[in-house]
Amino acid sequence: MTHSPGQDIPPPPTYPGHPVEPAASLPLPVHPDTSAPAYPGTPDDTPPPPDTPDRPLASAPAYPGTADDAAPPPAYPAAPAVTAPPPAYPGTPDDTAPPYPGAPVSAAPAYPRAPAPPPPPGQLGPAPDPLPGRPEQHPHQMDFEQRRVHLTARQRGADATALSRLLVQVPAFLCSLAVVTGFASAFFGSAAWLPVTVWVLSGALVFHRPTESFLARRLLRLRVPTPAERARLEPVWREVTARAGVDHQRYELWIEESDDINAYAAAGHIVGVTTFSLNHLPNGQLAAALAHELGHHTGGHAWASLLGQWYAQPAELTWRAIRAMSRFALRVARVISLPATGVLVLLFGCGLLALVAAAWMVLLPMAVAPYLLALVNRRAELRADAHAAGLGFAHPLAGVLHTMRAHEEARYAAAGPRAPRAAGLAKLLSSHPDYADRLQRLQPYLDERPPR
């Protein structure tokens, strides 16, 4: 339908059930707002939507961060009410680990601390606090720990002293050989070579373990250590042999019942020590004494000495028999008559001169052999001292020598001013040097400048 300008627009038709209002009061139609809905947290300037008669008005859900005072979320049962502090690391004042919910509280393990820096040169550090109730330790008391042992390729040998000892014993060996040959010829005739050969080969018994055990028990009066003595002796002996690079099982330890400070090295594998040394010496001094005896073994002094004595036995026994027979004959001659005694002495003297003239090359060295053997023995003692000092036992060995000298002086003082002392030729027959001489030879090791 069209209308011309100036004509009035007719009102819209009315529908049944709709209230009719006057045309003058009708407002202009309001179009719906097309703006975006308000997000949570922004001010809402738009009016709320109209309520419908069949649906109640419901508020929009509150989002996190809005100003709505909503109820807090429920607390979870596993969440702690108080937050735990971060764990403390080693070096912080708090060394305990943080407690965890439901776990037992225990102390954290102690972490290793860095060692204190050493004091500057020329300045001593703080002295350690002595333990209460603990006696002061002897300066020669050592702590021996098990460690790796490096064995040397040369376990034993023969130094110049051992060879000199064998050389000095050659005249006695020749005399013994003559005696054995004479007796063998008298009793075995043409088969005399058999006992002579057996006697010559018997020197190998020096290194035979059962024979050594027999000699240790019967001749040297030694015994096997008890379990308690072995527990005291074994660690010290292991330390000595470890420093020397020697297998400790090559030698056997023995005990002598004696109140003297002494130790022994005999045959090929015997190492003995007195009960006084074992029970009264600190383990450092005991180790020094054992190192001294080990020096006799590694240098060949022990087996060379026993071998020389073994081969000299027939000659010595023959000489003792001749002396005993001569004394008996003189006693008988004195009982009979004085001229008979003179005749017997004359005959014995002529026979002795004839023997010396025939075998002076053998008998003369035998006459001076005791002095030469004593000289070699003193040299062997000094070499054994040097061996012990070279293993690091110079100071304990010096302590042992001072103690032995003090015991000797006390023994002389107890015996009185008339106590016999070695002097002159008797001093030349001594098998050990003076303590002053031995201490003087140890002085370079005590000054930490051993001789080369």
Side-chain angles (χ1 to χ4, degrees), residues 79-387:
V82 181
T83 58
Y89 290 93
T92 59
D94 188 9
D95 292 339
T96 58
Y100 290 94
V105 180
S106 59
Y111 291 90
R113 303 286 185 179
Q123 195 174 24
L124 296 178
D129 297 335
L131 296 178
R134 182 175 181 179
E136 186 178 356
Q137 190 176 14
H138 194 279
H140 293 157
Q141 189 75 19
M142 299 182 178
D143 295 330
F144 298 141
E145 298 179 357
Q146 298 297 327
R147 53 191 173 89
R148 186 184 298 272
V149 178
H150 300 278
L151 300 180
T152 59
R154 184 172 176 267
Q155 295 286 299
R156 67 165 75 235
D159 57 14
T161 304
L163 297 178
S164 300
R165 187 190 298 271
L166 293 177
L167 184 62
V168 171
Q169 293 283 4
V170 168
F173 170 77
L174 295 178
C175 290
S176 297
L177 181 61
V179 171
V180 172
T181 302
F183 277 95
S185 300
F187 290 97
F188 292 93
S190 60
W193 62 271
L194 183 60
V196 173
T197 304
V198 171
W199 175 76
V200 172
L201 296 179
S202 64
L205 295 176
V206 172
F207 302 98
H208 187 234
R209 293 295 184 95
T211 305
E212 288 183 355
S213 299
F214 176 81
L215 294 176
R217 288 187 174 91
R218 302 302 178 184
L219 297 182
L220 302 178
R221 303 299 180 183
L222 304 179
R223 62 172 176 81
V224 178
T226 63
E229 293 171 340
R230 188 173 295 277
R232 156 95 165 136
L233 199 57
E234 279 286 348
V236 181
W237 177 245
R238 286 175 181 269
E239 176 66 20
V240 171
T241 54
R243 294 191 184 189
V246 176
D247 185 8
H248 70 280
Q249 297 180 351
R250 293 178 64 95
Y251 302 95
E252 295 183 8
L253 299 175
W254 296 82
I255 302 295
E256 181 194 11
E257 295 288 345
S258 175
D259 294 333
D260 296 330
I261 301 177
N262 205 354
Y264 300 94
H269 308 90
I270 296 176
V271 176
V273 64
T274 61
T275 52
F276 184 89
S277 302
L278 182 63
N279 297 327
H280 294 84
L281 292 182
N283 60 356
Q285 295 185 2
L286 182 60
L290 294 177
H292 175 92
E293 303 307 325
L294 181 62
H296 284 310
H297 276 297
T298 56
H301 310 158
W303 65 263
S305 176
L306 183 59
L307 193 64
Q309 293 178 5
W310 173 255
Y311 283 129
Q313 285 300 312
E316 291 184 3
L317 292 177
T318 303
W319 175 248
R320 290 178 183 177
I322 293 175
R323 290 178 60 185
M325 291 174 62
S326 302
R327 291 176 181 175
F328 179 75
L330 290 176
R331 289 178 181 178
V332 173
R334 287 176 183 176
V335 173
I336 297 176
S337 63
L338 185 60
T341 304
V343 172
L344 187 60
V345 171
L346 181 61
L347 293 177
F348 180 77
C350 292
L352 183 60
L353 291 176
L355 182 62
V356 171
W360 66 270
M361 296 182 63
V362 176
L363 297 179
L364 186 60
M366 286 189 63
V368 298
Y371 300 96
L372 295 178
L373 283 178
L375 178 62
V376 172
N377 289 336
R378 292 193 295 269
R379 182 63 180 172
E381 294 298 324
L382 296 177
R383 282 183 173 269
D385 287 346
H387 179 268

Side-chain angles (χ1 to χ4, degrees), residues 38-42 58-73:
Y39 289 91
T42 59
S59 60
Y63 290 90
T66 61
D68 191 7
D69 298 333

